[in-house]
Amino acid sequence: MSVEKTIHVDGKRRNALPGTTRDILGPADATPFAVVAEGAAEDADAALGAARAAFDSGPWPRTLAAERARLLLRGEALLRREREEMGLLESRDTRKTLEEGRVTAHGPVGVCALITPWNRPPLQTRWKTARRSPRATPS
């Protein structure tokens, strides 16, 4: 089983800086079904630094609001497009129902560095980044 480059920083996928990985085990039988990079504080620091540099020096602050909205909504559309596959993977990873594993996007929120538990990362990410609305789940 190959290690996926699951850390995404500065527009590139890469391994964790410390080189650490984690086997993802199916909860039903403890059979490994994926190996992922296990990020650390230095990975979060690198991501935040890249985001800050992109915001300060990149095109984003000079991009018109309509174009920003179009790009952010495209990201939301991609999440919605992959909702079923992500739901299946999350269900397999956590042994939760398919409905619990599906990602619901409520809209873009900007740069986020999140610490999520191993057993519910997509759900925790949704809770921590969803716009606050009657439909959003509180964190």
Side-chain angles (χ1 to χ4, degrees):
M1 194 172 324
S2 65
V3 177
E4 296 294 323
K5 293 182 176 181
T6 55
I7 305 289
H8 191 255
V9 174
D10 201 18
K12 300 172 196 75
R13 292 203 173 273
R14 63 170 177 75
N15 293 318
L17 288 174
T20 52
T21 62
R22 175 182 298 271
D23 289 340
I24 303 300
L25 307 176
D29 59 6
T31 302
F33 67 90
V35 179
V36 298
E38 185 170 40
E42 53 262 40
D43 295 299
D45 289 343
L48 290 170
R52 179 82 262 170
F55 186 79
D56 292 342
S57 305
W60 190 255
R62 293 175 302 285
T63 302
L64 297 176
E67 178 64 7
R68 286 184 189 190
R70 187 189 71 73
L71 291 168
L72 292 171
L73 291 172
R74 180 172 177 254
E76 181 180 8
L78 291 171
L79 284 174
R80 288 182 190 279
R81 185 187 78 193
E82 302 299 329
R83 183 174 185 243
E84 290 302 312
E85 183 177 354
M86 291 174 70
L88 288 169
L89 288 171
E90 180 64 4
S91 179
R92 182 176 181 193
D93 183 26
T94 63
R95 204 170 185 190
K96 304 294 182 194
T97 66
L98 179 58
E99 186 57 36
E100 288 177 300
R102 288 184 178 125
V103 173
T104 302
H106 294 283
V109 296
V111 175
C112 300
L114 310 172
I115 299 172
T116 60
W118 65 271
N119 60 339
R120 298 294 298 272
L123 181 61
Q124 290 290 316
T125 301
R126 181 173 70 208
W127 286 348
K128 292 179 180 196
T129 60
R131 285 187 288 186
R132 295 295 173 229
S133 71
R135 296 181 344 172
T137 307
S139 56

